[in-house]
Amino acid sequence: MMSVSAQAVSATPANRTEKEQPTLEFRFKAGMRQLAGGVCVIATQADGVRHASTVTSVSSLSMDPPSMVVCIKRDSSIHSPLQMTRKLSVNLLSTGQIEVADSCTGFDGSTGEARFKNGSWRMHGSGVPVLEGTLASIVCKVEESWVGGSHSVLLCSVEDIVDGVDGQPLVYANRSYSALQPIVPPPT
């Protein structure tokens, strides 16, 4: 039987050389796939064109004042419009909105208006698109942003909440969408 410390040290299979080992970036990405995240669509409008992106890198930051952190890949099609408008909506998707999530990823090469082909969208009074039928939509103003490697980290102040519908949050982990299931404690 191998000890815990021996398992950690012998992560390299005997039949692989050091040169054939996956890079740190590859191993990090594989590890982070195990971290489940709620699926959101970030949306903004710049120069009359709507832009959207599906993300899981969203988190509340503070309740006083209400604020959140949103991370956006710097080479994504929404990055420049967000830097220009400094306004966005964070649309928290339900399990019934997988098609919206897929159309806003851009994996099919779509950008701009083409990403709005699924779902029912309306303009919020702040000038950002808001998806109807979400669990909630949070309208934000970007207060600060800074570069964090391949992404920009946006510190956002919450300006409005558009109440949503009851439902289950759409979750993404290990390259697939999932739904949450309550854990039933064993009988005592």
Side-chain angles (χ1 to χ4, degrees), residues 25-38 56 171-178 180:
E25 290 81 8
F26 176 87
R27 293 181 4 247
F28 178 66
K29 188 183 275 188
M32 290 305 295
R33 283 187 194 117
Q34 306 311 309
L35 180 62
T56 56
V171 177
Y172 193 79
N174 206 16
R175 297 182 181 175
S176 64
Y177 296 115
S178 300
L180 296 177

Side-chain angles (χ1 to χ4, degrees), residues 20-21 31 33 61 67 93 96 98 105 112 114-115 119 134 138-140 147 149 172 187:
E20 295 171 323
Q21 291 308 304
R33 283 187 194 117
L61 177 64
S67 55
L93 302 189
I98 291 173
T105 63
R115 293 194 181 180
T134 62
I138 305 168
V139 177
C140 298
V147 173
Y172 193 79

Side-chain angles (χ1 to χ4, degrees), residues 115-181:
R115 293 194 181 180
F116 290 83
K117 64 185 173 192
N118 290 309
S120 179
W121 294 85
R122 66 177 179 83
M123 291 304 289
H124 184 269
S126 66
V128 296
V130 172
L131 178 62
E132 294 182 352
T134 62
L135 300 176
S137 293
I138 305 168
V139 177
C140 298
K141 176 182 171 191
V142 178
E143 298 293 343
E144 296 181 45
S145 68
W146 59 94
V147 173
S150 60
H151 286 62
S152 284
V153 180
L154 310 178
L155 173 62
C156 303
S157 61
V158 175
E159 295 190 327
D160 193 18
I161 306 293
V162 179
D163 292 329
V165 299
D166 288 335
Q168 287 292 315
L170 183 60
V171 177
Y172 193 79
N174 206 16
R175 297 182 181 175
S176 64
Y177 296 115
S178 300
L180 296 177
Q181 289 185 348

